């Protein structure tokens, strides 16, 4: 799995491997800056990065999703006085099986995951998580909301509008995630179901939905 973070000379590439390693590379420096490993050493299959919150969600073959705080210092004149860092913040219990896709909203306060268990899970992530608090990482947070799908979930995308797009073996569905004044999830309502789109790749469809929201 791979995601991009930052812009210009501060841009980074974050990769995840089957060995359970998560690595941050600086494009400007042309070098690896930091590395972290999943708590159980499970293979990484998917990642999502929330640019505003600088949070990274990582899922794979394990029974949980890991949330990291990503520190990305500014790069000046081909060097940096500090290095990128990955700090574990929280883990989230999954429905089991391979987690094929994860998605974070822009603020990093809403997390969605799905995979071979044929279940979409949603969590409200506290915005006040901080790496300075000794009680973190918080382990085993149960999903706020979850619902079943007819087949394996291959792709997910959360839009700023509050919509969640889900791509499975059979269809692409769009849901509206209803949230309270405090940001907590209060319900999920079906917005659109498109079985006629199944001849296309779900992952490509999700990318289109993300760009057009």
């Amino acid at each position: 799995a791979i995601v991009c973070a930052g812009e210009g000379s501060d841009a980074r590439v974050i990769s995840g491997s089957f060995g359970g390693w998560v690595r941050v590379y600086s494009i400007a420096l042309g070098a690896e800056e930091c590395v972290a490993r999943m708590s159980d050493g499970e293979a990484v299959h998917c990642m999502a990065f929330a640019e505003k919150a600088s949070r990274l969600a990582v899922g794979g073959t394990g029974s949980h999703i890991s949330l990291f705080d990503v520190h990305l210092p500014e790069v000046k004149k081909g060097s940096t006085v500090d290095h990128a860092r990955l700090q574990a913040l929280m883990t989230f219990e999954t429905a089991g099986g391979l987690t094929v896709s994860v998605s974070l909203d822009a603020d990093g306060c809403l997390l969605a995951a799905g995979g071979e268990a044929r279940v979409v899970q949603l969590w409200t992530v506290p915005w006040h998580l901080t790496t300075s608090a000794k009680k973190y990482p918080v382990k085993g947070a149960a999903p706020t909301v979850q619902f079943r799908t007819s087949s394996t979930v291959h792709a997910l995308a959360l839009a700023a509008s509050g919509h969640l797009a889900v791509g499975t073996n059979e269809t692409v569905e769009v849901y509206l995630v209803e949230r309270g004044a405090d940001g907590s999830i209060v319900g999920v309502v079906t917005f659109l179901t498109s079985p006629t789109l199944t001849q296309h790749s779900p992952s490509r469809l999700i990318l289109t939905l993300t760009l057009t929201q």
Side-chain angles (χ1 to χ4, degrees):
I2 191 166
V3 295
C4 294
E7 298 179 347
S9 62
D10 298 331
R12 267 81 169 186
V13 172
I14 306 175
S15 70
S17 71
F18 285 124
W21 296 100
V22 180
R23 304 175 188 273
V24 180
Y25 300 89
S26 168
I27 296 175
L29 299 177
E32 178 185 302
E33 288 189 273
C34 70
V35 60
R37 200 177 190 201
M38 299 290 281
S39 59
D40 297 327
E42 63 269 25
V44 175
H45 193 276
C46 54
M47 297 191 298
F49 183 69
E51 193 78 39
K52 290 182 180 179
S54 200
R55 288 177 173 178
L56 176 73
V58 184
T61 57
S63 60
H64 63 271
I65 294 166
S66 295
L67 183 71
F68 294 89
D69 175 77
V70 186
H71 173 65
L72 300 176
E74 186 177 359
V75 178
K76 292 183 177 180
K77 296 181 180 179
S79 64
T80 176
V81 296
D82 195 4
H83 289 286
R85 293 192 300 274
L86 290 166
Q87 174 66 50
L89 290 178
M90 197 169 185
T91 63
F92 304 87
E93 294 179 356
T94 67
L98 176 66
T99 300
V100 178
S101 182
V102 291
S103 183
L104 280 167
D105 71 348
D107 296 323
C109 291
L110 184 62
L111 169 66
E116 291 181 343
R118 301 183 178 186
V119 175
V120 174
Q121 297 178 291
L122 292 160
W123 293 265
T124 302
V125 184
W127 64 269
H128 54 75
L129 286 173
T130 173
T131 57
S132 63
K134 294 182 180 180
K135 64 180 180 179
Y136 296 115
V138 177
K139 296 184 178 180
T144 309
V145 174
Q146 64 180 23
F147 57 90
R148 296 199 64 82
T149 60
S150 59
S151 58
T152 298
V153 176
H154 286 284
L156 295 166
L158 282 163
S161 60
H163 291 89
L164 168 68
V166 180
T168 70
N169 285 338
E170 301 174 355
T171 187
V172 172
E173 297 179 342
V174 181
Y175 299 87
L176 177 62
V177 182
E178 298 180 328
R179 304 175 71 177
D182 61 351
S184 61
I185 303 170
V186 296
V188 179
V189 179
T190 302
F191 183 78
L192 174 68
T193 301
S194 301
T196 57
L197 298 177
T198 53
Q199 67 268 30
H200 302 291
S201 164
S203 60
R204 291 179 63 186
L205 288 166
I206 296 301
L207 176 61
T208 303
L209 287 168
T210 303
L211 293 174
T212 57
Q213 285 292 340

